[in-house]
Amino acid sequence: DTGVSQDPRHKITKRGQNVTFRCDPISEHNRLYWYRQTLGQGPEFLTYFQNEAQLEKSRLLSDRFSAERPKGSFSTLEIQRTEQGDSAMYLCASSFRRGLQETQYFGPGTRLLVL
Amino acid sequence: GQQVMQIPQYQHVQEGEDFTTYCNSSTTLSNIQWYKQRPGGHPVFLIQLVKSGEVKKQKRLTFQFGEAKKNSSLHITATQTTDVGTYFCAVSTSGNTGKLIFGQGTTLQVKP
């Protein structure tokens, strides 16, 4: 399977704990995006990388959230001191921009439940 | 910030009936994309429209981009149970970033 993969697929944690999610993009893709999706809503942009550089972060991304893409390949999203409001599906997408054309391919997501 | 409104929120149809979802923006869009998300799944890219008045077809699906590039629609002819899911429109913001702003989605239920 050469699609976007995410790990873990599900995570249950207690409030106040730290969690880390991993995303492995499609290998030739230079862009990687993180989105968050809550029930009944469309995905909301969190942050994106071009190669290893983090170029934009949403105001949704509080200081408790940090993302890295150290070698321009896989990425991690860490949430520190989780809160119940962090419960959501965290989606990763990757793309290769060619001119104005860019198609984002989404991974299966990590579903986080904070108790 | 940029927003897109999508209607209706839900649609229940009998198998074989047609279905349409609409996406509207108050500002001119550079392009619009459509995604499908099956229950329990992740968004899957369907199509991108970039030209004013553009119409594209994929089998039973017809996508339109308005002349003013402020609205778009997805029409499914003769729905099948495999069409069940949530359909999202998404727009990319201006500039070099490809971040997507998604509509709220239209959830389609098809009764066999």
Short mmCIF file of all heavy atoms in Angstrom, two decimals, chain A residues 31 33 35 37 41-43 45 48 56 97 101-104 106-107, chain B residues 33 35 37 42-43 45 48 88 95-100 102-104:
data_model
loop_
_atom_site.label_atom_id
_atom_site.label_comp_id
_atom_site.label_asym_id
_atom_site.label_seq_id
_atom_site.Cartn_x
_atom_site.Cartn_y
_atom_site.Cartn_z
N ARG A 31 4.65 17.98 0.36
CA ARG A 31 3.81 18.73 1.28
C ARG A 31 3.06 17.77 2.19
O ARG A 31 2.58 16.73 1.74
CB ARG A 31 2.83 19.62 0.53
CG ARG A 31 3.51 20.79 -0.14
CD ARG A 31 2.52 21.78 -0.68
NE ARG A 31 3.18 23.03 -1.06
CZ ARG A 31 2.55 24.15 -1.31
NH1 ARG A 31 1.23 24.20 -1.22
NH2 ARG A 31 3.21 25.24 -1.65
N TYR A 33 0.09 17.88 5.43
CA TYR A 33 -0.88 18.70 6.16
C TYR A 33 -1.46 17.90 7.33
O TYR A 33 -1.64 16.69 7.24
CB TYR A 33 -2.06 19.07 5.24
CG TYR A 33 -1.68 19.90 4.04
CD1 TYR A 33 -1.17 19.31 2.89
CD2 TYR A 33 -1.86 21.28 4.04
CE1 TYR A 33 -0.83 20.07 1.78
CE2 TYR A 33 -1.54 22.05 2.93
CZ TYR A 33 -1.02 21.43 1.81
OH TYR A 33 -0.69 22.20 0.72
N TYR A 35 -4.95 18.03 9.74
CA TYR A 35 -6.28 18.57 9.93
C TYR A 35 -6.91 17.90 11.15
O TYR A 35 -6.53 16.79 11.53
CB TYR A 35 -7.18 18.28 8.72
CG TYR A 35 -6.80 18.97 7.44
CD1 TYR A 35 -5.85 18.41 6.59
CD2 TYR A 35 -7.40 20.17 7.07
CE1 TYR A 35 -5.51 19.04 5.40
CE2 TYR A 35 -7.07 20.80 5.88
CZ TYR A 35 -6.12 20.22 5.05
OH TYR A 35 -5.79 20.86 3.87
N GLN A 37 -10.85 16.85 12.66
CA GLN A 37 -12.25 16.74 12.28
C GLN A 37 -13.06 16.27 13.47
O GLN A 37 -12.76 15.23 14.07
CB GLN A 37 -12.42 15.76 11.11
CG GLN A 37 -13.84 15.70 10.58
CD GLN A 37 -13.98 14.80 9.38
OE1 GLN A 37 -13.21 13.86 9.20
NE2 GLN A 37 -14.95 15.08 8.53
N GLN A 41 -18.63 17.73 11.24
CA GLN A 41 -17.96 18.89 10.65
C GLN A 41 -16.97 18.46 9.59
O GLN A 41 -16.55 17.30 9.54
CB GLN A 41 -17.20 19.66 11.74
CG GLN A 41 -18.05 20.16 12.88
CD GLN A 41 -19.06 21.18 12.44
OE1 GLN A 41 -18.77 22.09 11.64
NE2 GLN A 41 -20.28 21.09 12.96
N GLY A 42 -16.60 19.41 8.75
CA GLY A 42 -15.53 19.13 7.81
C GLY A 42 -14.18 19.25 8.50
O GLY A 42 -14.07 19.84 9.57
N PRO A 43 -13.15 18.71 7.88
CA PRO A 43 -11.80 18.84 8.47
C PRO A 43 -11.39 20.30 8.59
O PRO A 43 -11.71 21.12 7.74
CB PRO A 43 -10.92 18.10 7.45
CG PRO A 43 -11.85 17.16 6.74
CD PRO A 43 -13.16 17.89 6.67
N PHE A 45 -8.08 22.85 9.10
CA PHE A 45 -6.63 22.92 8.93
C PHE A 45 -5.94 23.23 10.25
O PHE A 45 -6.38 24.10 11.00
CB PHE A 45 -6.31 24.01 7.91
CG PHE A 45 -4.87 24.35 7.79
CD1 PHE A 45 -4.00 23.55 7.07
CD2 PHE A 45 -4.36 25.48 8.43
CE1 PHE A 45 -2.66 23.88 6.96
CE2 PHE A 45 -3.03 25.82 8.33
CZ PHE A 45 -2.17 25.02 7.59
N TYR A 48 0.88 22.92 8.15
CA TYR A 48 1.43 22.19 7.02
C TYR A 48 2.93 22.41 6.87
O TYR A 48 3.48 23.39 7.35
CB TYR A 48 0.67 22.50 5.73
CG TYR A 48 1.27 23.52 4.80
CD1 TYR A 48 2.01 23.12 3.69
CD2 TYR A 48 1.05 24.87 4.99
CE1 TYR A 48 2.52 24.04 2.80
CE2 TYR A 48 1.57 25.81 4.10
CZ TYR A 48 2.29 25.39 3.00
OH TYR A 48 2.80 26.31 2.13
N GLU A 56 3.03 27.05 7.94
CA GLU A 56 1.84 27.75 8.44
C GLU A 56 1.21 26.96 9.57
O GLU A 56 1.21 25.72 9.55
CB GLU A 56 0.81 27.95 7.33
CG GLU A 56 -0.37 28.82 7.75
CD GLU A 56 -1.26 29.23 6.59
OE1 GLU A 56 -0.85 29.08 5.43
OE2 GLU A 56 -2.38 29.70 6.87
N ARG A 97 2.79 19.54 -5.11
CA ARG A 97 2.26 20.68 -5.86
C ARG A 97 3.00 20.82 -7.18
O ARG A 97 4.23 20.86 -7.22
CB ARG A 97 2.40 21.97 -5.05
CG ARG A 97 1.66 23.15 -5.69
CD ARG A 97 1.80 24.36 -4.81
NE ARG A 97 1.13 25.53 -5.35
CZ ARG A 97 -0.04 25.96 -4.92
NH1 ARG A 97 -0.67 25.33 -3.97
NH2 ARG A 97 -0.59 27.04 -5.45
N GLN A 101 -1.77 22.99 -9.65
CA GLN A 101 -2.47 21.74 -9.40
C GLN A 101 -1.92 21.08 -8.14
O GLN A 101 -0.70 20.92 -7.99
CB GLN A 101 -2.30 20.78 -10.59
CG GLN A 101 -2.95 21.27 -11.86
CD GLN A 101 -4.46 21.27 -11.77
OE1 GLN A 101 -5.06 20.40 -11.16
NE2 GLN A 101 -5.09 22.28 -12.35
N GLU A 102 -2.81 20.73 -7.25
CA GLU A 102 -2.39 20.04 -6.04
C GLU A 102 -3.55 19.21 -5.55
O GLU A 102 -4.62 19.75 -5.30
CB GLU A 102 -1.97 21.04 -4.96
CG GLU A 102 -1.50 20.40 -3.68
CD GLU A 102 -1.00 21.40 -2.65
OE1 GLU A 102 -0.90 22.60 -2.99
OE2 GLU A 102 -0.72 20.98 -1.52
N THR A 103 -3.33 17.92 -5.40
CA THR A 103 -4.35 17.03 -4.85
C THR A 103 -3.84 16.49 -3.53
O THR A 103 -2.74 15.93 -3.47
CB THR A 103 -4.62 15.86 -5.81
OG1 THR A 103 -5.11 16.38 -7.05
CG2 THR A 103 -5.65 14.91 -5.21
N GLN A 104 -4.64 16.65 -2.49
CA GLN A 104 -4.26 16.14 -1.19
C GLN A 104 -4.85 14.76 -0.98
O GLN A 104 -6.04 14.55 -1.20
CB GLN A 104 -4.72 17.10 -0.09
CG GLN A 104 -4.01 18.44 -0.16
CD GLN A 104 -4.34 19.37 0.97
OE1 GLN A 104 -4.74 18.94 2.05
NE2 GLN A 104 -4.17 20.66 0.74
N PHE A 106 -5.56 11.90 1.75
CA PHE A 106 -5.71 11.79 3.19
C PHE A 106 -5.38 10.38 3.69
O PHE A 106 -5.65 9.39 3.00
CB PHE A 106 -7.14 12.14 3.62
CG PHE A 106 -7.40 13.62 3.63
CD1 PHE A 106 -7.69 14.30 2.46
CD2 PHE A 106 -7.35 14.33 4.82
CE1 PHE A 106 -7.93 15.67 2.47
CE2 PHE A 106 -7.57 15.69 4.84
CZ PHE A 106 -7.86 16.36 3.65
N GLY A 107 -4.83 10.34 4.89
CA GLY A 107 -4.63 9.08 5.57
C GLY A 107 -5.91 8.67 6.29
O GLY A 107 -6.88 9.43 6.31
N GLN B 33 -12.67 22.06 -4.77
CA GLN B 33 -12.45 20.62 -4.81
C GLN B 33 -13.61 19.93 -4.12
O GLN B 33 -14.26 20.50 -3.25
CB GLN B 33 -11.12 20.26 -4.11
CG GLN B 33 -9.92 20.94 -4.75
CD GLN B 33 -8.62 20.61 -4.04
OE1 GLN B 33 -8.47 19.54 -3.45
NE2 GLN B 33 -7.67 21.51 -4.09
N TYR B 35 -14.71 16.25 -2.16
CA TYR B 35 -14.24 15.04 -1.50
C TYR B 35 -15.45 14.22 -1.06
O TYR B 35 -16.52 14.75 -0.75
CB TYR B 35 -13.40 15.36 -0.26
CG TYR B 35 -12.02 15.88 -0.56
CD1 TYR B 35 -11.82 17.20 -0.94
CD2 TYR B 35 -10.91 15.06 -0.45
CE1 TYR B 35 -10.55 17.68 -1.22
CE2 TYR B 35 -9.63 15.53 -0.72
CZ TYR B 35 -9.46 16.85 -1.10
OH TYR B 35 -8.20 17.32 -1.38
N GLN B 37 -16.45 11.22 1.86
CA GLN B 37 -16.02 10.51 3.05
C GLN B 37 -17.08 9.47 3.40
O GLN B 37 -18.22 9.82 3.73
CB GLN B 37 -15.81 11.48 4.21
CG GLN B 37 -15.20 10.85 5.46
CD GLN B 37 -14.82 11.90 6.51
OE1 GLN B 37 -15.32 13.02 6.51
NE2 GLN B 37 -13.92 11.55 7.42
N HIS B 42 -12.06 8.20 5.61
CA HIS B 42 -11.38 9.48 5.50
C HIS B 42 -11.75 10.14 4.17
O HIS B 42 -12.24 9.47 3.26
CB HIS B 42 -9.87 9.27 5.58
CG HIS B 42 -9.33 8.33 4.54
ND1 HIS B 42 -9.32 6.98 4.69
CD2 HIS B 42 -8.79 8.59 3.32
CE1 HIS B 42 -8.80 6.42 3.62
NE2 HIS B 42 -8.46 7.37 2.77
N PRO B 43 -11.56 11.45 4.07
CA PRO B 43 -11.92 12.12 2.81
C PRO B 43 -11.11 11.60 1.63
O PRO B 43 -9.90 11.43 1.72
CB PRO B 43 -11.58 13.59 3.10
CG PRO B 43 -11.57 13.71 4.59
CD PRO B 43 -11.08 12.39 5.09
N PHE B 45 -10.39 12.35 -2.43
CA PHE B 45 -10.50 13.37 -3.48
C PHE B 45 -11.33 12.86 -4.64
O PHE B 45 -11.15 11.73 -5.12
CB PHE B 45 -9.09 13.73 -3.95
CG PHE B 45 -9.07 14.68 -5.12
CD1 PHE B 45 -9.23 16.04 -4.93
CD2 PHE B 45 -8.83 14.21 -6.41
CE1 PHE B 45 -9.18 16.93 -6.00
CE2 PHE B 45 -8.78 15.08 -7.49
CZ PHE B 45 -8.96 16.44 -7.28
N GLN B 48 -11.28 18.46 -8.98
CA GLN B 48 -10.99 19.87 -8.78
C GLN B 48 -11.51 20.65 -9.98
O GLN B 48 -11.32 20.23 -11.12
CB GLN B 48 -9.48 20.11 -8.62
CG GLN B 48 -9.11 21.59 -8.53
CD GLN B 48 -7.65 21.83 -8.18
OE1 GLN B 48 -7.24 21.67 -7.04
NE2 GLN B 48 -6.87 22.22 -9.16
N PHE B 88 -18.02 16.65 0.73
CA PHE B 88 -17.48 17.95 1.14
C PHE B 88 -16.97 18.72 -0.07
O PHE B 88 -16.30 18.15 -0.94
CB PHE B 88 -16.28 17.78 2.09
CG PHE B 88 -16.61 17.21 3.44
CD1 PHE B 88 -16.39 15.87 3.70
CD2 PHE B 88 -17.10 18.03 4.44
CE1 PHE B 88 -16.68 15.35 4.96
CE2 PHE B 88 -17.38 17.52 5.70
CZ PHE B 88 -17.18 16.17 5.95
N GLY B 95 -2.60 32.38 -2.48
CA GLY B 95 -1.18 32.31 -2.17
C GLY B 95 -0.62 30.93 -2.42
O GLY B 95 -1.24 30.09 -3.08
N ASN B 96 0.53 30.69 -1.89
CA ASN B 96 1.25 29.46 -2.18
C ASN B 96 0.78 28.28 -1.34
O ASN B 96 0.97 27.12 -1.69
CB ASN B 96 2.74 29.68 -1.94
CG ASN B 96 3.56 28.57 -2.53
OD1 ASN B 96 3.23 28.03 -3.59
ND2 ASN B 96 4.62 28.20 -1.84
N THR B 97 0.15 28.58 -0.19
CA THR B 97 -0.29 27.48 0.66
C THR B 97 -1.42 26.72 0.00
O THR B 97 -2.27 27.30 -0.65
CB THR B 97 -0.74 27.99 2.04
OG1 THR B 97 -1.26 26.87 2.78
CG2 THR B 97 -1.81 29.03 1.93
N GLY B 98 -1.41 25.43 0.17
CA GLY B 98 -2.49 24.62 -0.39
C GLY B 98 -3.51 24.24 0.65
O GLY B 98 -4.32 23.35 0.40
N LYS B 99 -3.50 24.88 1.82
CA LYS B 99 -4.42 24.47 2.87
C LYS B 99 -5.85 24.61 2.38
O LYS B 99 -6.20 25.52 1.62
CB LYS B 99 -4.21 25.27 4.15
CG LYS B 99 -4.81 26.65 4.16
CD LYS B 99 -4.59 27.33 5.49
CE LYS B 99 -5.34 28.64 5.55
NZ LYS B 99 -4.98 29.42 6.75
N LEU B 100 -6.66 23.68 2.79
CA LEU B 100 -8.04 23.60 2.35
C LEU B 100 -8.98 24.07 3.44
O LEU B 100 -8.81 23.75 4.61
CB LEU B 100 -8.40 22.16 1.96
CG LEU B 100 -7.67 21.59 0.75
CD1 LEU B 100 -8.01 20.12 0.58
CD2 LEU B 100 -8.00 22.37 -0.51
N PHE B 102 -12.80 23.54 4.32
CA PHE B 102 -13.87 22.62 3.97
C PHE B 102 -15.23 23.19 4.33
O PHE B 102 -15.37 23.90 5.34
CB PHE B 102 -13.70 21.28 4.72
CG PHE B 102 -12.66 20.38 4.14
CD1 PHE B 102 -11.32 20.57 4.41
CD2 PHE B 102 -13.03 19.31 3.32
CE1 PHE B 102 -10.36 19.73 3.88
CE2 PHE B 102 -12.08 18.47 2.78
CZ PHE B 102 -10.75 18.68 3.05
N GLY B 103 -16.23 22.85 3.52
CA GLY B 103 -17.60 23.10 3.92
C GLY B 103 -18.01 22.10 4.99
O GLY B 103 -17.24 21.20 5.34
N GLN B 104 -19.21 22.26 5.51
CA GLN B 104 -19.68 21.38 6.58
C GLN B 104 -20.05 19.99 6.08
O GLN B 104 -20.18 19.06 6.86
CB GLN B 104 -20.89 22.00 7.27
CG GLN B 104 -20.54 23.08 8.27
CD GLN B 104 -21.72 23.42 9.15
OE1 GLN B 104 -22.81 23.68 8.65
NE2 GLN B 104 -21.50 23.42 10.44
#
